[in-house]
């Protein structure tokens, strides 16, 4: 979406006082209740590891776990062992009773999703990945194995969440922002409580504003409200530690439970809002973009390759040291492949969704990433450097319309007949831009040189994702530049360090010259 | 600002977690224990200090587990330490001079009206020989207890730490200049962030943090504060009630990022909204409206006739944005 259009949509939402649907379709698929789980964390101020965790299948009661003091390594480990069972089992790990296959209730392959409240909870996945994937304490014990498995699962989910074209791990607030334009700025728009309250709506705009304000005061990230920590939790934790030190089991148990209650409320709120976000998208009246099928297939494929295959191997007796590390890619080739895939995620997502959403197409045109104009001329001639004649459309678009395409850009028509071609030339005439498009893509319907196209308004969009596909194809094949880094041969270039001049003097002499 | 927020009926939420404060204190104590053994070893390992470097001076106050009575004493001791470093020169770093000073305390002169004298304490001031000169180079070190997670370290945490270190670098350069020690001491453009390694209490040093921009920003910020203070009518800054009233009656310039650090953000946002400030929908909206009131913008969107050149331009831009998306969709 162009920045100006994004602003105008926010102004429209502000005028109406309620969020406005964004896009003609829903672009985030929502799994069925038995295949959807929410995951939320809370951590003690200054600590990296979780103090409390919550995991809830939409169709079941939540599993909420906490420790009395969020600084104590051992109890946190015990808590995470229990979480490992829930998460790894849900993801289908054979180490936790799963089949090791992509989950398949109700069909050949079914998507299982983990929803988190917002991006801050995603970074907790990274922390667990860093800390536990290669846990060494108590080598060989069931506990250590469970923690490592949790580290691997969190690593897989964290990496997956960073890929724009995935749909297995969902940031709930981002999912809502992609489906609606809210009458707030981007920073407030991160707050899941604010977003869901807006979407719940109210018949009275002023009372809705008040409700939003109240919801916004409740923290959603893993960090707790400092006042809650100071006034409620800190005294309880101090008393718990004193009782624990003195061996007063009854008191420490009671105080631990009191701490657990406070934390459980915090976790429960985060889980509830996350599941509410999923339900809002599931129940939206707009149709689901048919292109999400490609995203689901891609996510299932990645899960098999990047998570389940390794879990299968470990279940079969292989050691777990080959798991992807949060600290190194180990191999330049796999790092390059992963980097290109991640970098191309946005393109792949656009490719899957764009053609099925009229509003996304309008947004692309508004941003200049497409052509919408009138076919003012149709001719057949031999393109430069080719032997066979092809049809050329000259499409006229107003000069004032945004335009960011270049010569040679491959295009596709939104009606698919005729399919498309590439930009041969761009010329100007008065207040118009004339784009000559070679319509060379094969068509089984009306040929592009049919006179019925003359005078017709057409929409042509570039084919996104081709850059990534060709890069991935070539990676590992061609000994071109950078081949030494991806293991395809070639010699790593040695930097020329023979220069012994004074760069400042040289610059000065160039300046004088 | 918490006091002002309370006076306006808001509940302050920007305070620091008591657990986070104690975590930071524990980490710092561990770093500085046994003459900063752990910190100096990490600095040597990172190549900030040469092998065999030693010498620690603890200028922390008693309230922060140090030996000194108060901040004024710490400031005097800091000045003495800087003078000693300057007079002993690089040779001093091999024996008599400290290579790490904890809580080096600096003062930035204020303004009689609004701005009291600023007192700053640098967590770890590192001294080493400057390359190719005979001066002693000083590096500002900021200690934080959050974990280093390479490229995934929280960017807001990093930005805040750099801003703080940049402010210290500005204050240190000012102090060195005011003491006339510039011929013997230099202040490095780069500073250090001392974070924790994930899953442990061991330090992770980020040694090449460019503080130029943040130092320049701090300098500009102080200039603006001083200029603003000059225009104010004199009042007693110790009189809390009066100070709160004055802040309440002052104009505010709400920005979306205020939400992340100021207890008064909610009040200021309501004020801004009542005045039709587009910033309530984002800084980009504020810029887009070019000073036109939000309510007036809504009228223009509904087809009202522009009354001046700015409104005409805004209406045209709105029409273009909407038109590009829909008008050509026929």
């Amino acid at each position: 979406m162009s920045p100006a259009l994004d602003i105008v949509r926010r102004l429209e939402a502000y005028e109406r006082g309620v969020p406005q649907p964004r896009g003609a379709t829903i672009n985030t698929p929502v799994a069925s209740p038995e295949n959807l789980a929410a995951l939320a964390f809370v951590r003690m101020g200054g600590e990296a590891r979780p103090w409390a965790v919550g995991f809830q299948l939409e169709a079941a009661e939540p599993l909420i776990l906490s420790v009395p003091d969020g600084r104590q390594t051992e109890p946190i480990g015990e808590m995470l062992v229990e979480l490992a069972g829930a998460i790894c089992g849900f993801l289908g790990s054979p180490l936790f009773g799963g089949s090791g296959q992509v989950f398949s209730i109700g069909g050949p392959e079914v998507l299982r999703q983990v929803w988190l409240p917002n991006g801050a909870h995603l970074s907790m996945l990274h922390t667990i990945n860093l800390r536990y994937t290669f846990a060494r304490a108590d080598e060989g014990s069931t506990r250590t194995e469970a923690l490592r498995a949790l580290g691997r699962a969190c690593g897989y989910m964290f990496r997956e969440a960073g890929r724009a074209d995935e749909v297995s791990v969902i940031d709930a607030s981002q999912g809502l922002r992609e489906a609606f334009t809210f009458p707030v700025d981007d920073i407030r728009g991160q707050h899941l409580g604010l977003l869901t309250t807006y979407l719940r709506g109210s018949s009275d705009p002023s009372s809705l504003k008040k409700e939003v304000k109240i919801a916004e005061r409740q923290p959603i990230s893993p960090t707790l409200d400092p006042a809650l920590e100071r006034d409620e939790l800190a005294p309880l934790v101090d008393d718990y530690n004193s009782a624990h030190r003195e061996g007063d089991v009854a008191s420490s148990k009671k105080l631990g439970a009191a701490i657990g209650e406070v934390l459980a409320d915090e976790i429960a709120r985060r889980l509830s809002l996350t599941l509410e976000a999923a339900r809002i998208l599931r129940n939206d009246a707009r149709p689901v973009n048919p292109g999400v099928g490609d995203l689901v297939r891609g996510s299932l494929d990645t899960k098999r390759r990047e998570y389940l295959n390794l879990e299968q191997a470990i279940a079969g007796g292989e050691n777990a040291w080959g798991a992807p590390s949060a600290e190194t890619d180990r191999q330049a080739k796999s790092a390059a492949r992963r980097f290109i895939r991640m970098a191309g995620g946005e393109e792949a997502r656009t490719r899957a969704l764009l053609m099925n959403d009229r509003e996304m197409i309008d947004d692309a045109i508004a941003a200049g990433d497409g052509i919408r104009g009138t076919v003012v001329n149709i001719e057949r001639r031999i393109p430069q450097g080719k032997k066979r004649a092809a049809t050329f459309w000259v499409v006229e678009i107003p000069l004032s319309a945004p335009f960011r395409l270049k010569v040679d850009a491959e295009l596709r028509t939104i009606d698919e007949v005729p399919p498309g071609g590439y930009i041969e030339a761009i010329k100007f005439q008065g207040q118009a831009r004339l784009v000559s498009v070679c319509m060379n893509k094969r068509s089984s319907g009306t040929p592009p040189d049919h006179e019925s196209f003359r005078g017709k308004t057409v929409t042509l969009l570039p084919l996104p994702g081709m850059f990534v596909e060709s890069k991935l194809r070539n990676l590992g094949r061609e000994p071109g530049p950078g081949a030494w880094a991806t293991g395809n041969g070639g010699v790593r270039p040695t930097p020329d360090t023979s220069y012994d001049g004074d760069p400042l003097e040289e610059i000065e002499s160039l300046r004088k010259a | 600002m918490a006091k002002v927020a309370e006076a306006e009926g808001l509940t302050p939420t920007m305070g620091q977690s008591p657990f986070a404060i104690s975590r930071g204190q524990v980490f710092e104590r561990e770093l500085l224990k046994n003459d900063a053994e752990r910190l100096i070893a990490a600095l040597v390992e990172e190549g900030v200090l040469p092998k065999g470097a030693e010498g620690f001076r603890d200028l922390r106050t008693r309230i922060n587990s140090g030996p000194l009575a108060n901040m004024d004493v710490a400031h005097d001791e800091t000045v003495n330490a800087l003078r000693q470093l300057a007079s002993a020169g690089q040779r001093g770093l091999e024996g008599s001079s400290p290579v790490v000073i904890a809580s080096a305390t600096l003062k930035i002169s204020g303004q009689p009206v609004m701005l009291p004298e600023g007192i700053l304490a640098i967590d770890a001031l590192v001294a080493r020989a400057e390359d190719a000169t005979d001066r002693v180079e000083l590096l500002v070190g900021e200690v934080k207890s959050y974990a280093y997670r390479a490229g995934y370290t929280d960017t807001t945490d990093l930005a805040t730490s750099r801003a703080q270190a940049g402010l210290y670098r500005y204050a240190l350069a000012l102090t060195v200049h005011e003491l006339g020690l510039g011929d013997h001491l230099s202040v490095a453009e780069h500073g250090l962030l001392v974070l924790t390694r994930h899953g442990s209490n061991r330090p992770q040093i980020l040694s090449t943090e460019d503080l130029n921009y943040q130092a320049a920003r701090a300098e500009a910020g102080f200039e603006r504060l001083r200029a603003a203070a000059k225009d104010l009518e004199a009042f007693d800054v110790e009189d809390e009630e009066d100070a709160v009233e004055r802040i309440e009656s002052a104009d505010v310039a709400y920005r979306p990022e205020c939400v992340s650090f100021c207890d008064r953000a909610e009040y200021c946002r309501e004020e801004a909204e009542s005045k039709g400030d587009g910033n309530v929908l984002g800084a980009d909206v504020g810029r887009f409206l070019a000073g036109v009131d939000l309510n007036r913008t809504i009228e223009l969107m509904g087809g009202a006739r522009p009354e001046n050149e700015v409104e005409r331009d805004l209406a045209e831009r709105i029409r273009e944005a909407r038109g590009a998306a829909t008008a050509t969709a026929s």
Side-chain angles (χ1 to χ4, degrees):
Chain A
M1 191 185 292
S2 77
L5 184 57
D6 182 34
I7 288 169
V8 170
R9 295 249 162 97
R10 240 177 298 160
L11 288 165
E12 287 167 351
Y14 177 76
E15 181 190 2
R16 288 164 201 162
V18 288
Q20 296 299 299
R22 186 176 173 178
T25 59
I26 290 289
N27 295 326
T28 305
V30 183
S32 57
E34 64 274 20
N35 289 312
L36 189 148
L39 174 62
F41 301 94
V42 157
R43 68 175 169 216
M44 184 180 251
E47 297 300 315
R49 279 172 290 189
W51 190 1
V53 294
F55 182 79
Q56 183 176 14
L57 276 169
E58 193 184 352
E61 286 298 304
L63 168 72
I64 297 179
L65 306 163
S66 65
V67 294
D69 188 336
R71 293 166 289 205
Q72 294 169 338
T73 307
E74 285 303 308
I76 291 173
E78 292 300 328
M79 171 178 79
L80 294 180
V81 166
E82 206 173 333
L83 181 70
I87 290 186
C88 301
F90 177 75
L91 292 175
S93 166
L95 294 164
F96 293 85
S99 63
Q101 302 298 318
V102 173
F103 209 72
S104 62
I105 283 180
E109 288 190 330
V110 171
L111 177 72
R112 293 205 122 179
Q113 286 179 321
V114 176
W115 285 59
L116 295 102
N118 63 18
H121 291 262
L122 288 172
S123 33
M124 291 298 287
L125 297 177
H126 188 244
T127 299
I128 294 174
N129 179 212
L130 266 170
R131 179 69 185 86
Y132 294 108
T133 301
F134 302 107
R136 280 175 176 275
D138 205 5
E139 194 71 41
S141 74
T142 315
R143 181 180 181 277
T144 305
E145 295 304 330
L147 288 174
R148 286 180 188 165
L150 180 68
R152 292 193 299 274
C154 288
Y156 151 70
M157 289 194 285
F158 181 73
R159 288 191 302 277
E160 192 65 345
R163 200 165 58 83
D165 55 330
E166 71 85 31
V167 288
S168 295
V169 184
I170 310 286
D171 168 347
S173 66
Q174 192 186 333
L176 291 182
R177 287 197 307 276
E178 279 173 5
F180 297 92
T181 299
F182 291 85
V184 296
D185 63 76
D186 287 348
I187 296 176
R188 292 177 71 208
Q190 312 274 335
H191 196 288
L192 186 60
L194 176 147
L195 305 184
T196 48
T197 307
Y198 256 127
L199 289 167
R200 255 176 252 146
S202 168
S203 51
D204 174 15
S206 68
S207 74
L208 177 61
K209 264 192 168 179
K210 275 182 202 152
E211 285 167 29
V212 165
K213 214 189 286 177
I214 293 165
E216 201 179 359
R217 287 177 190 153
Q218 306 273 351
I220 297 299
S221 77
T223 311
L224 293 162
D225 181 352
L228 178 78
E229 288 199 320
R230 187 185 57 232
D231 302 336
E232 284 193 47
L233 287 163
L236 288 171
V237 172
D238 286 347
D239 291 348
Y240 166 82
N241 284 328
S242 303
H244 193 66
R245 264 194 307 274
E246 289 158 13
D248 182 349
V249 179
S251 296
S252 63
K253 207 170 170 184
K254 198 172 148 196
L255 288 159
I259 294 166
E261 268 177 40
V262 177
L263 296 176
D265 285 348
E266 291 293 315
I267 288 283
R269 190 179 69 250
R270 287 160 173 83
L271 289 176
S272 157
L273 289 170
T274 306
L275 292 175
E276 187 181 349
R279 279 193 288 270
I280 287 170
L281 292 184
R282 187 190 288 131
N283 298 333
D284 194 283
R286 285 170 284 176
V288 175
N289 189 319
V292 298
D294 289 349
L295 305 183
V296 170
R297 275 187 290 282
S299 292
L300 293 172
D301 184 48
T302 311
K303 184 178 174 183
R304 190 182 303 112
R305 280 188 291 104
E306 302 216 350
Y307 179 64
L308 290 174
N309 285 352
L310 179 65
E311 297 302 296
Q312 282 276 31
I314 293 168
E318 279 188 31
N319 75 44
W321 299 114
S325 166
E327 294 182 280
T328 171
D329 287 299
R330 293 205 182 93
Q331 255 200 340
K333 192 172 174 177
S334 60
R337 183 169 285 277
R338 196 167 287 150
F339 172 76
I340 289 173
R341 185 127 197 264
M342 295 291 249
E346 195 59 53
E347 269 188 16
R349 186 172 188 276
T350 306
R351 185 175 49 167
L353 302 176
L354 179 64
M355 290 296 178
N356 301 301
D357 189 319
R358 175 72 53 180
E359 212 170 293
M360 275 182 89
I361 293 172
D362 288 347
D363 289 350
I365 300 288
D369 293 328
I371 294 175
R372 184 172 279 154
T374 311
V375 179
V376 293
N377 193 22
I378 300 174
E379 60 181 11
R380 273 193 75 78
R381 58 184 162 83
I382 298 173
Q384 204 175 7
K386 301 277 161 70
K387 290 178 181 169
R388 200 179 285 177
T391 301
F392 285 82
W393 282 0
V394 177
V395 183
E396 182 184 299
I397 51 177
L399 201 54
S400 59
F403 189 81
R404 303 201 311 171
L405 301 178
K406 292 178 182 172
V407 169
D408 288 338
E410 289 206 49
L411 300 173
R412 192 172 138 188
T413 60
I414 57 168
D415 302 320
E416 296 189 354
V417 177
Y422 66 91
I423 297 180
E424 184 224 22
I426 301 167
K427 291 176 182 163
F428 302 95
Q429 192 177 67
Q431 286 305 301
R433 183 182 273 116
L434 298 176
V435 184
S436 173
V437 183
C438 177
M439 299 294 290
N440 65 343
K441 297 229 181 290
R442 290 199 176 169
S443 166
S444 55
T446 316
D449 57 354
H450 197 275
E451 276 303 307
S452 62
F453 290 115
R454 193 183 294 272
K456 196 175 171 186
T457 299
V458 293
T459 302
L460 293 141
L461 296 168
L463 292 172
M466 303 313 287
F467 169 78
V468 177
E469 272 190 13
S470 67
K471 280 278 175 202
L472 280 174
R473 248 195 328 269
N474 292 338
L475 200 73
R477 277 191 195 166
E478 293 177 5
W484 60 271
T486 54
N488 293 339
V491 180
R492 182 179 186 154
T494 316
D496 180 6
T497 52
S498 58
Y499 176 78
D500 61 354
D502 182 342
L504 289 178
E505 268 180 24
E506 281 195 24
I507 291 167
E508 190 59 23
S509 68
L510 283 170
R511 201 177 63 80
K512 282 177 186 163
Chain B
M1 226 27 107
K3 297 272 180 207
V4 184
E6 271 175 358
E8 285 162 350
L10 300 170
T11 311
T13 58
M14 298 295 166
Q16 231 190 323
S17 153
F19 301 118
I21 294 170
S22 89
R23 169 84 167 92
Q25 287 168 343
V26 168
F27 178 54
E28 205 169 301
R29 263 203 304 274
E30 286 295 313
L31 281 179
L32 302 178
K33 209 165 67 180
N34 299 334
D35 289 341
E37 185 183 14
R38 190 176 272 194
L39 177 60
I40 291 175
L43 290 168
V44 170
E45 191 185 323
E46 187 59 29
V48 177
L49 289 176
K51 267 186 189 166
E54 57 180 12
F56 171 63
R57 186 151 312 161
D58 192 353
L59 303 184
R60 286 175 296 167
T61 55
R62 275 180 210 132
I63 203 167
N64 290 317
S65 317
L68 304 184
N70 55 46
M71 298 289 263
D72 287 329
V73 179
H75 175 251
D76 294 343
E77 288 296 317
T78 302
V79 171
N80 290 342
L82 290 175
R83 288 204 169 110
Q84 186 202 339
L85 280 165
S87 66
Q90 292 189 354
R91 205 180 301 166
L93 296 171
E94 291 161 14
S96 56
S97 302
V99 294
V100 170
I101 302 172
S103 255
T105 304
L106 311 170
K107 286 183 180 174
I108 295 183
S109 55
Q111 195 77 34
V113 179
M114 183 184 80
L115 203 58
E117 193 171 57
I119 300 182
L120 312 167
I122 301 174
D123 289 338
L125 182 64
V126 177
R128 67 180 181 188
E130 187 177 54
D131 284 343
T133 74
D134 55 1
R135 292 192 299 183
V136 171
E137 186 179 41
L138 303 173
L139 292 97
V140 168
E142 178 61 21
V143 178
K144 294 286 177 199
S145 62
Y146 58 83
Y148 175 68
R149 296 193 293 129
Y152 295 108
T153 314
D154 190 286
T155 48
T156 311
D157 283 343
L158 282 175
T160 311
S161 310
R162 284 180 190 130
Q164 206 175 335
L167 168 63
Y168 294 162
R169 183 182 166 267
Y170 161 67
L172 182 62
L174 201 67
T175 305
V176 168
H177 175 75
E178 282 172 0
L179 292 173
L181 302 175
D183 290 342
H184 308 284
L185 301 177
S186 71
V187 178
E189 292 184 346
H190 288 80
L192 313 163
L193 293 185
V194 184
L195 311 182
T196 56
R197 286 192 185 178
H198 67 86
S200 83
N201 237 357
R202 286 162 52 77
Q204 173 80 46
I205 311 272
L206 308 187
S207 62
T208 52
E209 296 296 313
D210 187 341
L211 302 179
N212 276 319
Y213 170 72
Q214 295 294 358
R217 199 167 154 239
E219 185 175 5
F222 271 101
E223 288 302 322
R224 285 176 65 193
L225 274 175
R226 287 190 190 108
K230 266 184 196 166
D231 295 337
L232 287 176
E233 183 193 329
F235 70 96
D236 179 7
V237 288
E238 301 297 324
D239 181 347
E240 192 178 290
E241 204 176 318
D242 186 32
V244 166
E245 265 178 38
R246 282 168 187 273
I247 293 171
E248 279 185 304
S249 60
D251 284 342
V252 294
Y254 174 76
R255 293 290 178 272
E257 53 271 27
C258 296
V259 173
S260 45
F261 64 85
C262 184
D263 281 319
R264 226 181 147 214
E266 190 180 313
Y267 167 82
C268 295
R269 186 173 62 245
E270 280 174 9
E271 280 287 295
E273 193 171 349
S274 70
K275 288 178 185 163
D277 182 352
N279 279 295
V280 296
L281 295 180
D284 53 348
V285 178
R287 285 192 297 272
F288 188 82
L289 301 195
V292 178
D293 181 79
L294 253 181
N295 299 318
R296 176 65 184 151
T297 304
I298 301 296
E299 287 173 11
L300 291 171
M301 286 167 69
R305 215 180 158 80
E307 285 176 0
N308 55 42
E309 202 50 46
V310 178
E311 287 190 3
R312 233 184 315 282
D313 176 63
L314 174 62
E316 177 63 17
R317 283 183 287 126
I318 291 170
R319 194 193 61 75
E320 269 177 20
R322 280 173 157 175
T326 54
T328 55
S330 55

